[in-house]
Amino acid sequence: MDVVIGVDQKKTADSERQLRSLYEWLLADAACRRHARPTLGSGAAAVPGAQGGVIDVLSLVLGTGFNAASLAVAVAAWRRSRPGTPTLVVERPDGTRIVLTGATDEEAGRLLAELEQERA
């Protein structure tokens, strides 16, 4: 399953820096680096002749090597390490958006439940 993660730009002025931090956090996880292959990019359509867009999304593929549970644990740990706990928006392929505002174990459990709901 492809997952796209963004930072709520209305609540966080430095969303690109936050996404880069999460990206580096995920790359530090060997299973994520090997199986999910996170990438940074822009959610906006490319404009011909324009320079690259602002980095506003982190994309990764969940599977057996790095699954929804692994992502939920990694995101919760990253969020606990961040001052101010940025609001994250996780989007599933079907367009479902999961907004995470806290860094609690309950938020991680809610993310896991929402991500796994697609498979049911």
Side-chain angles (χ1 to χ4, degrees):
M1 163 182 22
D2 294 337
V3 175
V4 176
I5 301 173
V7 174
D8 187 338
Q9 295 178 0
K10 295 175 195 161
K11 298 183 179 184
T12 306
D14 61 345
S15 59
E16 184 172 338
R17 186 173 60 83
Q18 297 290 356
L19 281 175
R20 287 184 185 278
S21 172
L22 177 56
Y23 171 76
E24 291 168 6
W25 186 276
L26 292 171
L27 284 181
D29 183 308
C32 180
R33 189 175 55 248
R34 186 171 35 257
H35 299 289
R37 289 182 241 112
T39 58
L40 291 169
S42 175
V47 177
Q51 291 183 335
V54 173
I55 292 174
D56 61 357
V57 295
L58 187 156
S59 303
L60 61 148
V61 179
L62 302 181
T64 56
F66 191 81
N67 58 23
S70 301
L71 177 63
V73 168
V75 166
W78 174 79
R79 289 175 56 92
R80 282 191 294 272
S81 76
R82 308 298 306 159
T85 314
T87 298
L88 293 182
V89 180
V90 180
E91 189 167 334
R92 293 188 334 205
D94 65 3
T96 299
R97 295 169 56 97
I98 306 151
V99 179
L100 303 173
T101 56
T104 64
D105 290 338
E106 290 78 22
E107 284 275 290
R110 187 170 67 81
L111 173 60
L112 175 59
E114 291 283 342
L115 288 173
E116 288 186 331
Q117 194 172 53
E118 181 190 43
R119 296 183 195 152

